[in-house]
Structure formats: C-alpha cells, structure tokens
Amino acid sequence: MSGPNHVTPGGPPVTTRLSETVTMIKLSVGPMDNNAYLLRGPGGSVLIDAANDADRLLELIGDQAPDTIVTTHRHQDHWQALSDVAEATRSQLICGRPDQDAIATGAWVEELTGVWDGDTVALGEESLTVIGLVGHTPGSIALAYRGPGGVDHLFTGDSLFPGGPGKTGSPADFASLMDDLETKIFGAYEDATEVHPGHGDDTTLGAERPQLGEWRARGW
C-alpha cells in the first residue's frame, strides 16, 4: 500500500506543506524511480537531487529558479540532470565534501561546494542543516528541516529508507552508516520526524526505530 507523498515514475508531482512557510514538491524521475524534492520557502528555494529528466525538473521549477541544488551523494543516478539543470538555472551547487570530486567529474560541473556536519543550506529566510552519513558513500549527506513549531523533516538520500539503511559495500561501511544513523539521526530527532528518502515512499523515525537492532543483526 502506498503511503502519503507517493509518486510514480513519469507521474505527476505531489505537493505537501511542511510548515506554515515551506512547501515540498516531490517528483519521481528517471528509470530508477529517483525522488527529486523542490523545497520552496520564504524568499527562496532548494532542489534536492537533480537526478534525471532535466526537462521535467525545469518544468517543475518554472520561472523561480532554486537558489541551491543539493546532491545527496556521488552515485550517478542522483545527478544525471545536474549539469543541464544547473546551466539553465545558474543555481549554487552543493554536495557532501568527501563526494565532491566524484560528483564534479561525473556530472561535468565546475562550481561545486562541499559541505558537512553542522553546515547549513539557506532556504530563503530559513535553512536546512547538513548531516554527514558515512557508509553508503564516503560523502553522503542528509538535510534536516526543523520548521518553526512543526514536525521535523529529514531528506536522507540513499542512507535511510523504510525498512533499513542504504546499501553498503563492506561490513565496515555498514557499521559506519549504522553508527551515524543511530547517533546523528535516531539519537537527535524525535519519532514524529518524517523521512523523505532518495527512492520510494516516506516514513517516520518512529516507524523505523524498533527495527534498529534487527538491522544490526542482519548486517544490511
């Protein structure tokens, strides 16, 4: 059964109000059903993962070019449209610092700024907080939106999904990702926090928290 904010490949976007001031538009793009998120706040906007289908993303953006495009990690299915969208919008480009060179080289972009834990990305008059999550890739990041008086929202890329962490390539990478998730995500945000992943449907930390021990035990 599909949950709220469900989108389908090639289907229409879904718009959700995250707070009194910020709106999220979610769109599925490309053959791997990547989620792209356009956040519009007071006086500015941010696009998370220009993953594919540049023409559809530019149609979604319209005349209000995002101030910033954030790429959550280095895997190529998350930046296939980055060069084309960046050229059309002239937005600032941001990614996790350890993944910076890989994304810049693959996506053919030059002006790419690396960020990490504690950095912020402006969302008009508000902001998103950067959280580094090492394991799925060395420089994967999540973005946290803590709206005034509302539910917190986490944009986790491929580091956290409904039912488990993102894929890792070794036991050490898995342990690193689980440590970061438990400390920086589950240890820092409440159960009501909504998780918006890089593919598929949304979830909440409360729905996933009881499974942390099971994830550790199974090793994936």
Side-chain angles (χ1 to χ4, degrees), residues 50-90:
N52 213 312
D53 297 344
D55 54 342
R56 295 180 67 218
L57 291 175
L58 291 172
E59 181 180 1
L60 186 73
I61 289 166
D63 295 333
Q64 184 183 340
D67 302 295
T68 306
I69 301 173
V70 179
T71 303
T72 57
H73 63 286
R74 67 172 65 188
H75 289 157
Q76 64 180 3
D77 61 305
H78 287 260
W79 48 254
Q80 289 293 298
L82 181 59
S83 180
D84 288 343
V85 175
E87 182 177 2
T89 61
R90 301 299 178 184

